[in-house]
């Protein structure tokens, strides 16, 4: 058997074995018979969990922004001018 033929046979065997390892098709909303899948479990504290995640995130972000703004102002990298605040 020539070396080219041996390489072709190995590639064919690798391709066939990779097809066998492929994940089966999974339907997310219904079964193969057409029946609907059961409803997924609900998180009991959904809205409270969202509030407990968003509020600390906003507070931490505001605190970091305040410290960065004071750092920039101390080092004269960005100093807001008073002329911008005039509404004359």
């Amino acid at each position: 058997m020539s070396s080219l033929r041996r390489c072709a046979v190995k590639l064919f065997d690798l391709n066939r074995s990779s097809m066998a390892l492929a994940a089966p098709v999974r339907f997310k909303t219904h079964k193969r018979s057409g029946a609907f899948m059961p409803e997924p479990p609900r998180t009991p504290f959904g809205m409270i969990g969202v509030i407990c995640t968003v509020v600390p995130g906003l507070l931490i972000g505001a605190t970091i922004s305040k410290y960065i703004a004071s750092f920039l102002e101390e080092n004269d990298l960005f100093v807001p001018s008073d002329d911008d605040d005039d509404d004359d």
Side-chain angles (χ1 to χ4, degrees), residues 16-45:
R16 189 182 323 159
S17 65
S18 68
M19 280 194 277
L21 296 176
V25 176
R26 180 174 173 260
F27 299 106
K28 296 183 184 220
T29 57
H30 62 280
K31 297 181 182 180
R32 288 185 186 265
S33 65
F36 288 117
M37 298 287 277
E39 186 175 343
R42 293 181 182 252
T43 307
F45 300 110

Side-chain angles (χ1 to χ4, degrees), residues 54-68:
V54 171
V55 170
L58 288 174
L59 292 175
I60 291 170
T63 304
I64 291 171
S65 298
K66 183 176 78 172
Y67 284 122
I68 290 174

Side-chain angles (χ1 to χ4, degrees), residues 1-2 8-9 22 24 31 38 40 57 63 68 77 84 88:
M1 190 183 268
S2 69
V9 169
K31 297 181 182 180
T63 304
I68 290 174
L77 297 173
D84 292 340
D88 296 301

